[in-house]
Amino acid sequence: MQNSFGDEYPLKATIYRWIEHFDNGDEELHDDPRLARPTSSKTSSNIERVQTIVGEDRRITLRELEERIGISKAKLHSIIIEDLEMSKVTVSWVSKHLSKERKRERVKVGKELVSRYKAEEDFLDRIVTEDETWFHYYEPESKTQSKQWKRRDEALPIELEAAKSAGKRMATVFWDREEIIHLDWLPKKTTINSDYYVDELKELRQSRPGSQRLLAVWRDEEKEILQNIT
């Protein structure tokens, strides 16, 4: 074969494959007919398939689509972007997913608060807000806090990045429209439960004995609040 064809002679593996075919009785010298590949994968049927699959699973990846449909990722990306006019975006995180009943309840409460605000002159003075938060033993300043003025010919200031300390304590904070009125540090190995809140509400009333405004509110509403908590 090398003497006959010179440098263009077939590889040994090809010759061995031919011999195997001849031994099996296959003496056909031409390749078997094969289905021709379509000139373009962006057919209407493929576009419809992609639209259906993506509609069922918005998080599907191009690689998963490629395995299911058999179209290259480049073609799939073109179909999704150009034909379906879709793009992959990051979802918006929300703290809670409210049901219709909860939404209606919040609208109802909101309207009641607006009515009380219009009817009661000292309504805002009677509102006390509470929240819990973690306080680290060391908290580095934020990028906004570290901003400083510089001249145009000066280099940017550099500061080593610091992390929050591992040690931390949880605090319960109560405040009104003017100031913080009560702060309590949660003891170690203690969990926040209904009993803890009852004690906190009682201490809140005692923490401002000179405030007639707060005491008046508590005398009228203390029983109902404690019942709801417990």
Side-chain angles (χ1 to χ4, degrees):
M1 296 285 288
Q2 187 175 6
N3 293 334
S4 301
F5 295 99
D7 295 337
E8 297 181 357
Y9 78 96
L11 297 176
K12 289 184 179 180
T14 302
I15 297 174
Y16 293 153
R17 187 172 66 254
W18 289 349
I19 294 174
E20 182 179 359
H21 281 285
F22 293 153
D23 290 342
N24 294 332
D26 182 6
E27 299 180 356
E28 179 63 44
L29 301 180
H30 301 284
D31 293 333
D32 295 333
R34 294 180 296 178
L35 295 176
R37 186 175 182 177
T39 56
S40 175
S41 301
K42 294 181 64 175
T43 62
S44 58
S45 59
N46 285 336
I47 294 175
E48 185 176 352
R49 287 185 65 191
V50 173
Q51 184 177 18
T52 301
I53 296 174
V54 174
E56 295 174 351
D57 183 7
R58 294 299 182 95
R59 295 190 176 188
I60 194 169
T61 63
L62 291 177
R63 177 172 295 181
E64 292 171 341
L65 281 172
E66 182 181 26
E67 294 175 354
R68 292 183 60 176
I69 301 179
I71 303 176
S72 66
K73 290 188 290 186
K75 290 293 184 182
L76 290 169
H77 186 268
S78 176
I79 291 175
I80 294 175
I81 299 297
E82 298 176 4
D83 298 280
L84 301 182
E85 298 181 350
M86 301 178 69
S87 60
K88 207 162 194 179
V89 296
T90 304
V91 299
S92 298
W93 291 96
V94 295
S95 57
K96 293 182 179 180
H97 181 69
L98 299 177
S99 61
K100 293 183 179 180
E101 292 74 14
R102 289 293 183 90
K103 291 180 180 179
R104 284 195 292 265
E105 183 65 24
R106 292 200 173 194
V107 172
K108 177 183 176 182
V109 173
K111 291 181 179 180
E112 292 177 354
L113 292 176
V114 172
S115 300
R116 292 186 59 181
Y117 169 74
K118 294 179 179 179
E120 304 173 18
E121 184 177 351
D122 62 341
F123 176 71
L124 294 180
D125 296 329
R126 301 175 60 188
I127 294 179
V128 176
T129 307
E130 179 274 339
D131 198 6
E132 305 91 31
T133 183
W134 286 103
F135 285 88
H136 292 261
Y137 296 154
Y138 171 74
E139 295 193 31
E141 62 181 6
S142 64
K143 289 186 177 180
T144 301
Q145 293 172 330
S146 63
K147 285 184 177 180
Q148 53 183 283
W149 297 103
K150 82 171 192 67
R151 295 193 303 269
R152 292 184 178 180
D153 56 347
E154 291 180 329
L156 290 174
I158 297 176
E159 185 174 342
L160 293 178
E161 183 178 358
K164 294 181 179 180
S165 62
K168 58 184 179 180
R169 288 283 301 276
M170 175 171 282
T172 303
V173 187
F174 292 83
W175 69 94
D176 59 11
R177 64 184 303 189
E178 296 179 355
E179 60 185 354
I180 294 177
I181 58 179
H182 182 67
L183 173 64
D184 181 76
W185 296 99
L186 184 68
K188 293 183 178 180
K189 298 181 180 180
T190 304
T191 57
I192 296 179
N193 50 32
S194 59
D195 294 333
Y196 172 80
Y197 268 117
V198 169
D199 294 336
E200 284 302 298
L201 292 174
K202 291 179 179 179
E203 291 184 13
L204 173 64
R205 187 182 68 175
Q206 297 173 359
S207 64
R208 302 189 68 185
S211 175
Q212 297 300 324
R213 166 179 57 83
L214 192 59
L215 288 175
V217 174
W218 271 98
R219 291 192 184 97
D220 295 336
E221 302 179 0
E222 179 181 18
K223 183 177 180 180
E224 180 181 355
I225 292 175
L226 296 180
Q227 287 178 348
N228 292 336
I229 293 177
T230 56

